[in-house]
Amino acid sequence: MENIIWVVLLCAVLALLFAAWKTSAVSKADAGTERMKEIAGNISDGARAFLFAEYKILVIFVAVLFVLIGLFITWLTAGCFLIGAVFSVCAGYVGMNVATKANVRTAAAAKSSGMNKALGVAFSGGSVMGMCVVGLGLLGCAAIYAFTGNVEILTGFSLGASSIALFARVGGGIYTKAADVGAALVGKVEAGIPEDDPRNPAVIADNVGDNVGDVAGMGADLFESYVGALVSALTLGVAVVGTFNGAGALFPLILAAAGIVASIIGCFFVRGDENSNPHKALKMGSYVASAIVVVLSLVLSNVFFGSMSQAIAIIAGLAANMEALSPRHAKRIGKFAGHPLSRRVNQVSAFVNRKESQGAVLRHQLILCRLKQLHECLLCRRGVESYGPIHYSQEIPLLFQRDGELLVHLRRNFRQLILAFAVEFFSRIAGEKAHPKENERK
């Protein structure tokens, strides 16, 4: 266990070192003419001024919550809350600071060297934010779990990240929309200045809002989502039995570390040329990183649980989030991942059928009605009524094969897809529990 935790911490530090290297590469790039530097400097100064003003208010909010959590829960949880808030601020601020540098340098690179150089600068600036988010998130979760061994303490860390994300995302978004409308009304309507003309101060404010809302706010939001996913997986993993003690809790951490390594390797495959589509270069990096994660998840699943079945859910999740997949590829993935997922649902259903109490059956019946309504709404929006009644675990994989466009839609609504499998899960429980005598005769 100790060796695995150290590997996880090392990968988290590796992500931060990679972000520092990319920051240095962006800073060394040419920033363009003096006029470009002046405009970029104004945007950067405005973004920092906004964040400092916002953080002055956040300090009071964080301090009050820190005291309340310490008094009514535990001071250790309060300390984790403070760490989560600080890490969230750092992820957003560092990402925004590099983005303001990368913006003007991307424009200068496109002007002097062409699209390929501009793609490299822009991607390097964006990768800093991503690596800071995953590096700080994994570092905080792994370090707290390593030193305390208590998963419940991690809820404080997650709460700290969520608190900052709330203010950063909403505050920055309101600011940028107000500046955008003000720039359009004053500049275009009243003064007759062209759109996005730097002579209009509101245009600078609009670009400031884009950085604080869509970069710093998005970074804090992504950090909160990443930490929440890790903490949820750790909380559930504690109850999972593996090949050694603590395997269920350590599996999400080592899997996240593997994702960092795969992402770093994938960054080196984002290469293009002047005559190629930059989207293809970005897709190549995603494909390489996803392939590495698939291989590592299969290996880690076998090591931690003695089976590769757990890796199927990881592979299905990767497939669902690969927006670049064509319907032709999507049908193949549906054929591969649909049937194993159905079997897993049936296995869990059979297990719960033996364990559930009569009181839980009533709750399942209520949930079943709501899930059916949600899934029927999904199918009606896609016009799938022609397929007729659906027996979920058997028919959904067939739908994947018959209609790749449908899978693309379901992939973008992955939660509804999971609900579809849950419908049969709960319906079997409700049916067999509600009619035990008929089941015995069968």
Side-chain angles (χ1 to χ4, degrees):
M1 174 179 174
E2 294 180 357
N3 294 333
I4 296 175
I5 284 292
W6 282 112
V7 171
V8 172
L9 292 173
L10 180 62
C11 290
V13 174
L14 180 63
L16 298 178
L17 293 176
F18 185 79
W21 175 58
K22 285 294 184 180
T23 301
S24 176
V26 170
S27 300
K28 292 178 181 178
D30 182 26
T33 63
E34 293 299 323
R35 180 59 172 161
M36 294 172 65
K37 293 179 182 177
E38 179 186 357
I39 296 174
N42 292 335
I43 295 173
S44 179
D45 292 342
R48 281 197 294 267
F50 178 89
L51 284 185
F52 286 146
E54 186 178 52
Y55 291 158
K56 288 179 182 178
I57 305 300
L58 281 179
V59 165
I60 301 174
F61 173 76
V62 170
V64 172
L65 274 185
F66 173 79
V67 174
L68 292 176
I69 293 173
L71 292 175
F72 292 99
I73 303 179
T74 62
W75 288 106
L76 187 58
T77 304
C80 293
F81 165 81
L82 186 61
I83 295 173
V86 171
F87 277 16
S88 180
V89 169
C90 291
Y93 180 79
V94 172
M96 186 218 66
N97 194 36
V98 175
T100 55
K101 295 180 180 180
N103 292 339
V104 64
R105 286 164 173 78
T106 300
K111 181 180 179 181
S112 61
S113 304
M115 183 187 65
N116 189 31
K117 180 66 175 178
L119 173 64
V121 176
F123 183 77
S124 296
S127 63
V128 173
M129 169 66 78
M131 289 300 166
C132 285
V133 167
V134 298
L136 291 173
L138 185 59
L139 180 65
C141 289
I144 292 172
Y145 181 71
F147 288 111
T148 64
N150 187 357
V151 177
E152 296 180 359
I153 300 297
L154 286 171
T155 55
F157 183 74
S158 179
L159 180 61
S162 302
S163 301
I164 300 299
L166 172 65
F167 288 92
R169 187 67 170 148
V170 175
I174 294 174
Y175 176 82
T176 187
K177 293 304 178 185
D180 189 12
V181 174
L185 292 177
V186 176
K188 295 172 62 178
V189 178
E190 295 186 5
I193 302 176
E195 187 176 3
D196 294 335
D197 193 310
R199 293 176 297 173
N200 184 0
V203 171
I204 303 297
D206 186 18
N207 284 272
V208 169
D210 289 337
N211 282 280
V212 298
D214 297 337
V215 181
M218 178 66 74
D221 195 12
L222 289 173
F223 182 81
E224 182 267 339
S225 299
Y226 183 77
V227 171
L230 270 181
V231 173
S232 301
L234 279 168
T235 304
L236 296 174
V238 171
V240 178
V241 179
T243 56
F244 58 91
N245 188 26
L250 292 175
F251 183 69
L253 294 176
I254 194 65
L255 189 64
I260 288 177
V261 175
S263 298
I264 292 176
I265 296 174
C267 287
F268 292 101
F269 284 84
V270 181
R271 298 178 180 272
D273 54 57
E274 297 302 323
N275 299 321
S276 65
N277 186 351
H279 186 53
K280 292 183 178 179
L282 296 174
K283 286 198 297 184
M284 179 57 67
S286 298
Y287 288 152
V288 171
S290 299
I292 295 173
V293 170
V294 168
V295 174
L296 292 178
S297 64
L298 290 170
V299 174
L300 292 173
S301 177
N302 187 51
V303 172
F304 277 69
F305 303 105
S307 172
M308 294 186 181
S309 300
Q310 287 74 16
I312 294 178
I314 300 170
I315 297 172
L318 283 173
N321 285 281
M322 291 291 288
E323 295 294 336
L325 284 176
S326 65
R328 178 170 56 88
H329 294 152
K331 285 191 287 188
R332 295 177 180 176
I333 291 178
K335 182 178 180 180
F336 171 76
H339 292 294
L341 278 176
S342 301
R343 289 196 298 269
R344 296 297 295 175
V345 170
N346 292 336
Q347 291 174 6
V348 175
S349 175
F351 173 77
V352 177
N353 280 339
R354 297 193 303 266
K355 300 294 183 180
E356 286 292 318
S357 63
Q358 185 64 34
V361 172
L362 299 177
R363 294 195 299 271
H364 293 331
Q365 290 175 337
L366 295 175
I367 295 173
L368 172 61
C369 295
R370 180 57 181 155
L371 292 177
K372 285 185 176 179
Q373 293 173 1
L374 290 174
H375 190 56
E376 287 171 2
C377 290
L378 172 66
L379 296 181
C380 289
R381 287 200 302 269
R382 281 291 294 118
V384 198
E385 299 90 341
S386 59
Y387 287 119
I390 294 177
H391 189 260
Y392 294 99
S393 70
Q394 298 177 7
E395 291 295 325
I396 284 181
L398 297 178
L399 292 180
F400 291 174
Q401 300 173 44
R402 291 159 60 182
D403 190 348
E405 184 182 357
L406 172 61
L407 176 60
V408 173
H409 181 81
L410 290 176
R411 177 165 45 80
R412 292 174 181 172
N413 299 272
F414 190 65
R415 291 184 179 179
Q416 286 89 337
L417 175 60
I418 296 301
L419 291 178
F421 285 106
V423 167
E424 183 184 5
F425 173 37
F426 289 124
S427 63
R428 291 193 177 188
I429 297 173
E432 294 184 12
K433 292 294 182 179
H435 305 286
K437 295 183 178 180
E438 294 181 7
N439 295 329
E440 290 178 2
R441 289 196 297 269
K442 293 181 180 179

